[in-house]
Amino acid sequence: SASNPSDIYPLFFGYLGRLELSVYFNDTQLSADLTQGYETVRKVDVGSCAKSLSFFFLCLASANVYLDTKKRKWRRWAKNFHKTLKGLCTTKGTTSWHRCMIMEAHLGAVSGRKDYKTIQLAYDEAIGTATRNGYIQDAGLCAQLAAQFFLNMVEAGDVPKGNG
């Protein structure tokens, strides 16, 4: 327990760093463990930019755990984290709007929708917005998510006609 409020920042950003790594390395077990412990850090007042970043990675982690386990709880959590992220972007500024776009594309992909053109367009728009705003690391992450979506589609033999 931190006696000084400034002591909580290293804990918060340590948590966030581990959450990010669990997403980047697709460690769904670590993602699940860290996501289930979010209530503790959710109450920390670290500012809207850090808060939106945490909800972005909580949403990604939950969506990835859903992809791995197919447990609806994780999809529901991902949607709730996305809703919170979108609310932060709407009320606190659009610094993280590209992250909302990435999540909308990714949630469309993990939901099992078969509208590949729409999902591809959503990923492309998110990548473009992130790149134009200087968030190339988020553009790269989005490109990785899109590639994984299309690779999964090909592996499942679910390639739309005419897109060979």
Side-chain angles (χ1 to χ4, degrees):
S1 171
S3 58
N4 182 344
S6 65
D7 291 344
I8 199 72
Y9 293 108
L11 296 174
F12 176 83
F13 288 104
Y15 167 84
L16 182 56
R18 285 176 179 81
L19 183 62
E20 288 180 48
L21 289 173
S22 76
V23 169
Y24 287 133
F25 291 104
N26 201 24
D27 185 337
T28 53
Q29 183 58 55
L30 182 58
S31 289
D33 293 343
L34 290 170
T35 302
Q36 291 182 71
Y38 86 98
E39 276 299 325
T40 307
V41 298
R42 187 174 101 152
K43 298 171 186 154
V44 177
D45 184 18
V46 291
S48 60
C49 286
K51 194 65 84 171
S52 67
L53 188 61
S54 66
F55 280 106
F56 173 63
F57 280 101
L58 284 165
C59 187
L60 277 172
S62 299
N64 290 344
V65 173
Y66 170 72
L67 273 175
D68 195 43
T69 65
K70 297 299 184 212
K71 292 183 180 175
R72 296 168 124 187
K73 158 185 140 174
W74 293 105
R75 192 170 98 192
R76 187 174 61 251
W77 281 27
K79 286 180 178 182
N80 287 337
F81 289 134
H82 177 254
K83 183 179 177 181
T84 303
L85 173 63
K86 200 168 187 176
L88 281 169
C89 290
T90 303
T91 60
K92 302 289 185 184
T94 58
T95 304
S96 292
W97 195 253
H98 67 283
R99 293 185 182 118
C100 290
M101 295 174 72
I102 292 169
M103 285 318 311
E104 286 170 11
H106 193 52
L107 288 173
V110 303
S111 71
R113 287 194 335 221
K114 301 294 182 191
D115 187 0
Y116 302 116
K117 289 287 186 192
T118 301
I119 293 170
Q120 180 181 4
L121 181 62
Y123 276 128
D124 288 347
E125 288 177 356
I127 291 167
T129 300
T131 302
R132 279 191 302 281
N133 290 311
Y135 293 97
I136 56 172
Q137 74 283 6
D138 290 339
L141 176 60
C142 187
Q144 179 183 341
L145 295 170
Q148 188 62 53
F149 167 70
F150 288 108
L151 180 62
N152 291 345
M153 182 181 70
V154 169
E155 286 177 351
D158 205 10
V159 180
K161 294 193 186 319
N163 291 340

